Amino acid sequence: MRYHRLRFDVWLCLALSVLVSFVPVKIAERMLPKAYEAYEEEHTVADGEIGGAAGESLYRAENVKDLLSHETFTVVSPGIEYRNRGGGYYGSYYMQALTLPSGELVAACINGDSVQTTGKDMYSGDSILPVGRVVYEDLTENETFLQQIEYKEKLSRTDFYVDMLGEGGRLSEEDYTELPKNLIQIGTVVVCFPLFHMLGSKIGIFPRFFVGKKKKASEWE
């Protein structure tokens, strides 16, 4: 196995670039919490809306027939059973295999922020899932998704899914801020590295990356 060592000037410019990148990252850390507040407000679903907390008067669906015969509904699931049957990504949605009280299995995207528990914690008692609605769609068109969500058991219906997400499904503050901070740091390093090396090359402390070819003397000179 061959090992390639980076030259000292490359390491130094890279280290300086990383140090400089901490400055815009720190600035971003001060600004992102306010941006997250706006994002959180935008992705918080009101009670009673699709993806929001279900009220006591909302119909409790027991089977597929109930889902299809009601415009909106909720499902009561024991503990966290609704998370344990598998799931998969359908486009930008993460769907879980939801077991109805009848035992039938359907795909559902669920806003975890609106799940209500009747026990002392999420593992005991029942989970009252968010307000949902049926969305007709041919799930068999996405074979990868079906392989993911049906790795334990086949869905009872694949011509629709249950939307219990609506405009919800917000990221945590940590997840929301991590990506922009990483992009800012990487972008700063990419910009600063060649600038530092160019400056060092001009003042003669670093060798040039690219050395131009010397022109041959003309025979007529």
Side-chain angles (χ1 to χ4, degrees):
M1 182 181 292
R2 298 180 62 184
Y3 293 93
H4 299 277
R5 293 183 178 180
L6 292 176
R7 294 183 338 210
F8 172 76
D9 56 310
V10 174
W11 277 113
L12 181 59
C13 290
L14 185 60
L16 290 173
S17 300
V18 171
L19 287 174
V20 171
S21 71
F22 290 145
V23 176
V25 169
K26 286 294 182 183
I27 295 173
E29 285 178 346
R30 294 181 179 182
M31 299 174 61
L32 286 171
K34 289 186 177 180
Y36 181 75
E37 288 179 5
Y39 165 84
E40 186 178 31
E41 183 177 349
E42 182 180 348
H43 288 80
T44 298
V45 185
D47 295 351
E49 294 184 0
I50 302 299
E56 293 183 3
S57 61
L58 186 64
Y59 186 80
R60 269 60 172 163
E62 297 279 336
N63 49 49
V64 169
K65 183 179 179 181
D66 290 344
L67 300 181
L68 301 180
S69 59
H70 290 79
E71 187 174 342
T72 59
F73 48 80
T74 186
V75 174
V76 179
S77 178
I80 59 169
E81 197 278 338
Y82 66 95
R83 296 184 181 182
N84 296 334
R85 291 289 184 142
Y89 281 95
Y90 188 80
S92 59
Y93 295 113
Y94 182 75
M95 295 192 192
Q96 293 163 320
L98 172 62
T99 305
L100 302 175
S102 64
E104 294 168 295
L105 206 64
V106 295
C109 47
I110 301 170
N111 181 11
D113 295 328
S114 298
V115 176
Q116 304 170 81
T117 56
T118 60
K120 294 182 179 180
D121 53 48
M122 61 190 301
Y123 301 102
S124 62
D126 292 327
S127 293
I128 304 172
L129 302 186
V131 179
R133 67 186 177 97
V134 167
V135 178
Y136 288 97
E137 194 148 346
D138 185 3
L139 304 181
T140 61
E141 292 183 353
N142 191 326
E143 294 182 5
T144 302
F145 164 70
L146 280 184
Q147 290 173 0
Q148 291 173 341
I149 199 170
E150 293 185 336
Y151 84 97
K152 282 188 175 181
E153 188 178 349
K154 295 286 186 181
L155 296 175
S156 301
R157 295 281 293 265
T158 56
D159 58 332
F160 71 85
Y161 68 86
V162 177
D163 178 13
M164 291 182 167
L165 183 65
E167 298 298 323
R170 64 177 183 266
L171 298 172
S172 67
E173 184 171 0
E174 182 180 357
D175 291 338
Y176 178 82
T177 58
E178 193 66 23
L179 178 59
K181 287 194 297 185
N182 288 340
L183 291 177
I184 290 170
Q185 186 166 36
I186 293 171
T188 304
V189 171
V190 169
V191 171
C192 289
F193 177 82
L195 292 178
F196 280 132
H197 201 278
M198 185 185 303
L199 179 61
S201 299
K202 283 189 176 182
I203 63 179
I205 61 174
F206 296 152
R208 295 180 179 275
F209 271 134
F210 305 103
V211 180
K213 293 182 180 179
K214 293 183 179 180
K215 295 182 178 179
K216 292 183 179 180
S218 173
E219 295 180 358
W220 300 98
E221 294 181 356

